[in-house]
Amino acid sequence: MKKGRAFPRVILTATLIYLLIPLLATLLYSVAKSWQNTILPESWTLGWFRDLFMDPRFTLSLWRTLWICFLSVGLSVVVMLPTIFIVVVYLPRLEKLLNVLVLIPYAAPGVVMAVGLIKLYSSGPVAIAGTMWILVGVYFVAVLPYMYQGIRNSMRTIRTIDLIEAAELLGASKLMAFRRIIVPNVLPGIRVSVLLSFSILFGEFVLANLLVGGQFETIQIYLYHRLSESGHLASAVVICYFLVILILSGILLALSGILGRQSTAASKKGSGQ
Amino acid sequence: MSYLLIENVNKTYNSTSVLHELNLEVMEGEMVTLLGPSGCGKSTLLRCISGLTDMDKGSVHLEGRNITPLAPKDRNVGMVFQSYALFPNMNVYDNIAFGLSMKKKSSQQIKSRVEEMLQLIDLTEKAKSYPHELSGGQQQRVSLARSLAVEPKLMLMDEPLSALDAKIRKHLRTELRQIQKRVGMTMLFVTHDQEEALTISDKICLMNQGRIVQTGSPDEVYSKPKDEFAARFIGSYNVLSGEELSMLLAEPAYSKSAGKYALRPEAIHVKQNSLGLQPTSTSSGSDAAAHICLGLVEEAVMLGNIIRYRIEANGVRLLADVLNGDQAMKFHEGDAVQIQFDRQACLPLAPSGT
């Protein structure tokens, strides 16, 4: 019996070590002054972080990345939530089409996508190639699969059509039913999709580099540029953006928790409790 | 004047006619059941009345007002779904209050109405529970209360008890009927369970293939089935062709009849062969209307309070139900028995589909 319980623990610990060692090594390297042929660094410094924070390019690129991720993911939620809702409830025949559409970004390699987009948007009515707007557009497409799967699955599990019909017969308009019943119930699905999309975009390099390159330096492009300068500095960058993602995930989780409670509280207020 | 009037409703899905020139009248405070096999169009009819499905032709009048062009939310029609459709993000209280808050009632009005509803369904102590914390029966009661709370003019129930297990289903249907009577609610109840329909209805509309085949009180529908479909669906009637009936009664008069005849299984009395009947002999006994003949028990099935015998008599197979009481009346496979029934009990049936 003891053996049976020990085995999963060993696996779990091994996995954790495997996942944490690179991170730990990066952290150590970012605070090491010199680290040549010893197990642990010979001397320590926070100088690399100081250098990093003193560099206005770093903070600027971090802000840009945050900003563009928020914009792209936000846009994706705003567009995809009603779209998926309408397809699931009113146009189930289009579901197959939507399925194929959202899977294309999965299948198309980044380079192919980027070259095609540059060609399409470098001239004509929407000449946005080289600006941050093309990146927003591309990122919107890139996170489609994650948004779609997460939201659609939670809509399926809550029997969306039955709930909407029940709400309508109780006197709610379609919009009201969507806002009061559907949105709160698919919130966990949205939360997972948003987190996933956000961390994927935060670490995205290929599309950003090809589409906007030096004109709009994101954190990944900044990292790439300084990689050749010093490994210690690059490690510090990696640790920083890992922390940013960690904090952001925490904030998003807390925020959606609050939102979830608020919608219940709102209905309570509405019902006079 | 009828409270709910449905006139010439037609509905076609992918060129299959689901409802065909359907007419229905319901009086105020009545509990009317739409009974029929799955796919007969009964649920579609409910959805057409609620406005959740558009109909191709026809009209629905409620309290003398044509509600056909109205959106579901403006029809003042409540509906209880088989899947309950409670809002998972709201507790029992908020579920019941939802419709009231949509109607912009004051918080005081909402509070007193929700409490009244909770008392009606006897779930006051569950007000703070979420749907997933309730049993199926409790969820369906909440669903009923949620619909009743907004005082709809008509309540539609789409197989509300089908997802529940037998014991709770029987209990809940009694409760449902009591609530309906107490509130005086006009209800249209859809079911495929004939026992359920017979127990709770003021009126049963038997449906088949998009048409109402027969309408009447439970007693009328059960004891005077109009056609073969009705006889087969509503009970375990013996449906005999004219030829079979003339063989059974040894009267050639019926053999020319093209129509069919129905004979209730409980109208056939099964006794010990005390008259010493021979296989071919028949007798009218002392009562001129009674027909007596010899039968052979082919199968005996225990159904609890009744025993159902499959008996072969004069080359005709019959089902006969006997109350499971007297030990001396129990027969086994292969027993020769004397069967007796009233000739009047053989009901002529109209051809199906008219």
Side-chain angles (χ1 to χ4, degrees):
Chain A
M1 283 310 279
K2 210 174 175 185
K3 216 175 178 180
R5 241 179 294 158
F7 185 66
R9 259 185 222 169
V10 170
I11 294 283
L12 197 68
T13 320
T15 314
L16 271 178
I17 291 172
Y18 177 77
L19 290 173
L20 287 177
I21 275 188
L23 197 67
L24 202 70
T26 314
L27 178 68
L28 286 178
Y29 203 63
S30 71
V31 290
K33 204 170 186 177
S34 66
W35 192 5
Q36 303 294 336
N37 47 8
T38 49
I39 292 182
L40 284 175
E42 290 151 36
S43 53
W44 310 84
T45 175
L46 281 171
W48 306 114
F49 282 95
R50 196 193 55 223
D51 280 4
L52 201 60
F53 289 115
M54 297 284 277
D55 183 1
R57 270 174 70 200
F58 168 71
T59 30
L60 214 59
S61 65
L62 191 61
W63 274 122
R64 280 203 198 99
T65 306
L66 279 176
W67 175 228
I68 204 145
C69 288
F70 269 121
L71 209 61
S72 312
V73 174
L75 188 69
S76 189
V77 172
V78 169
V79 174
M80 289 313 282
L81 185 59
T83 307
I84 297 169
F85 171 73
I86 290 167
V87 168
V88 167
V89 178
Y90 301 104
L91 302 164
R93 268 176 306 165
L94 293 184
E95 210 172 325
K96 271 194 185 137
L97 180 72
L98 199 63
N99 232 324
V100 174
L101 276 181
V102 300
L103 281 177
I104 289 174
Y106 248 148
V111 179
V112 174
M113 238 172 26
V115 172
L117 287 162
I118 291 172
K119 221 170 169 181
L120 184 64
Y121 289 111
S122 57
S123 63
V126 263
I128 51 170
T131 69
M132 68 167 277
W133 300 110
I134 194 166
L135 207 53
V136 172
V138 170
Y139 279 0
F140 173 86
V141 175
V143 298
L144 271 183
Y146 313 100
M147 281 292 165
Y148 177 70
Q149 293 297 344
I151 297 174
R152 194 206 49 178
N153 288 349
S154 38
M155 278 204 192
R156 281 214 175 141
T157 46
I158 58 161
R159 289 174 170 272
T160 305
I161 298 177
D162 281 5
L163 292 186
I164 283 288
E165 288 180 347
E168 272 190 78
L169 287 170
L170 289 168
S173 65
K174 285 184 165 67
L175 196 69
M176 189 59 117
F178 175 71
R179 203 168 65 77
R180 288 276 302 272
I181 309 294
I182 303 306
V183 173
N185 281 305
V186 295
L187 213 55
I190 298 176
R191 179 166 56 199
V192 172
S193 300
V194 165
L195 278 178
L196 196 61
S197 308
F198 210 91
S199 37
I200 284 167
L201 292 188
F202 216 83
E204 206 287 321
F205 172 72
V206 178
L207 289 169
N209 192 40
L210 284 170
L211 288 170
V212 288
Q215 296 172 54
F216 189 81
E217 204 175 48
T218 65
I219 189 80
Q220 288 294 330
I221 296 173
Y222 175 79
L223 180 69
Y224 177 73
H225 285 157
R226 303 216 61 176
L227 207 58
S228 50
E229 267 175 50
S230 154
H232 292 288
L233 195 70
S235 297
V237 176
V238 170
I239 291 298
C240 280
Y241 97 61
F242 173 77
L243 283 179
V244 169
I245 290 211
L246 202 67
I247 292 164
L248 274 176
S249 306
I251 293 174
L252 278 175
L253 281 174
L255 208 65
S256 58
I258 292 166
L259 278 179
R261 272 198 296 278
Q262 257 177 1
S263 69
T264 330
S267 63
K268 264 184 193 148
K269 208 176 158 197
S271 61
Q273 228 188 1
Chain B
M1 197 187 129
S2 50
Y3 185 72
L4 172 72
L5 178 66
I6 294 161
E7 285 182 314
N8 307 321
V9 169
N10 275 293
K11 176 71 193 171
T12 311
Y13 276 123
N14 305 329
S15 72
T16 316
S17 176
V18 185
L19 295 175
H20 192 82
E21 291 295 326
L22 196 136
N23 292 287
L24 175 66
E25 277 182 62
V26 177
M27 297 299 154
E28 188 164 7
E30 245 185 347
M31 174 85 148
V32 175
T33 302
L34 299 173
L35 172 67
S38 28
C40 72
K42 53 196 192 307
S43 290
T44 309
L45 179 59
L46 272 207
R47 294 180 60 85
C48 286
I49 298 170
S50 66
L52 294 174
T53 298
D54 291 329
M55 46 201 183
D56 301 338
K57 211 189 107 193
S59 61
V60 179
H61 294 259
L62 186 58
E63 264 192 331
R65 179 168 166 238
N66 185 5
I67 60 166
T68 325
L70 299 181
K73 72 180 178 74
D74 302 320
R75 293 194 178 198
N76 222 339
V77 167
M79 187 153 165
V80 171
F81 297 81
Q82 188 183 341
S83 67
Y84 323 133
L86 293 178
F87 306 135
N89 58 319
M90 298 181 188
N91 62 24
V92 169
Y93 186 102
D94 294 331
N95 262 285
I96 300 176
F98 183 81
L100 296 164
S101 67
M102 287 299 116
K103 292 209 156 45
K104 307 250 184 322
K105 302 277 184 201
S106 75
S107 49
Q108 200 46 49
Q109 281 175 311
I110 293 177
K111 192 166 185 288
S112 70
R113 183 69 180 157
V114 173
E115 274 160 14
E116 191 187 328
M117 286 297 115
L118 282 169
Q119 266 168 19
L120 186 72
I121 57 165
D122 200 18
L123 278 179
T124 307
E125 75 284 5
K126 295 275 183 194
K128 300 265 185 233
S129 305
Y130 281 85
H132 69 268
E133 296 164 338
L134 303 177
S135 70
Q138 288 172 331
Q139 288 192 47
Q140 199 52 293
R141 271 146 73 194
V142 175
S143 174
L144 176 68
R146 182 179 68 175
S147 299
L148 281 175
V150 292
E151 297 175 75
K153 292 200 172 119
L154 172 70
M155 181 70 93
L156 306 172
M157 312 201 85
D158 192 2
E159 308 222 10
L161 307 175
S162 302
L164 302 169
D165 59 56
K167 202 177 161 196
I168 296 169
R169 194 163 63 221
K170 282 185 183 170
H171 174 74
L172 202 55
R173 77 180 178 216
T174 319
E175 204 176 299
L176 189 68
R177 176 63 158 158
Q178 282 167 354
I179 290 176
Q180 183 264 337
K181 278 186 174 164
R182 209 180 318 155
V183 186
M185 178 62 64
T186 313
M187 273 191 190
L188 206 50
F189 188 99
V190 157
T191 182
H192 59 258
D193 181 340
Q194 37 99 358
E195 190 192 317
E196 200 166 279
L198 292 170
T199 342
I200 61 166
S201 320
D202 288 315
K203 196 162 91 180
I204 294 178
C205 298
L206 194 58
M207 281 185 75
N208 188 30
Q209 295 177 347
R211 295 164 207 263
I212 292 179
V213 179
Q214 187 175 1
T215 305
S217 69
D219 184 43
E220 277 168 356
V221 173
Y222 184 76
S223 56
K224 297 191 187 72
K226 213 176 123 195
D227 63 7
E228 187 179 345
F229 166 79
R232 288 191 190 277
F233 194 79
I234 198 80
S236 318
Y237 271 86
N238 294 295
V239 178
L240 305 172
S241 65
E243 202 171 331
E244 283 172 318
L245 188 64
S246 65
M247 275 162 71
L248 183 64
L249 297 175
E251 279 178 30
Y254 293 100
S255 66
K256 290 186 186 74
S257 157
K260 296 202 170 178
Y261 296 84
L263 181 58
R264 280 156 79 159
E266 63 272 28
I268 302 172
H269 301 285
V270 183
K271 293 177 187 165
Q272 254 157 353
N273 187 10
S274 53
L275 298 174
L277 290 174
Q278 294 304 305
T280 48
S281 70
T282 54
S283 161
S284 289
S286 52
D287 182 356
H291 174 75
I292 302 173
C293 66
L294 186 74
L296 187 70
V297 176
E298 288 188 334
E299 191 184 39
V301 182
M302 241 290 288
L303 297 178
N305 59 338
I306 59 170
I307 300 175
R308 176 163 293 167
Y309 293 108
R310 197 173 75 220
I311 297 170
E312 195 261 353
N314 295 351
V316 179
R317 282 215 171 102
L318 295 172
L319 290 180
D321 287 352
V322 176
L323 250 159
N324 183 10
D326 195 351
Q327 203 61 31
M329 291 287 290
K330 282 188 179 163
F331 305 104
H332 303 282
E333 207 180 302
D335 285 357
V337 290
Q338 172 195 321
I339 61 167
Q340 177 180 344
F341 57 88
D342 198 324
R343 280 161 216 263
Q344 304 290 315
C346 299
L347 305 167
L349 297 171
S352 274
T354 50

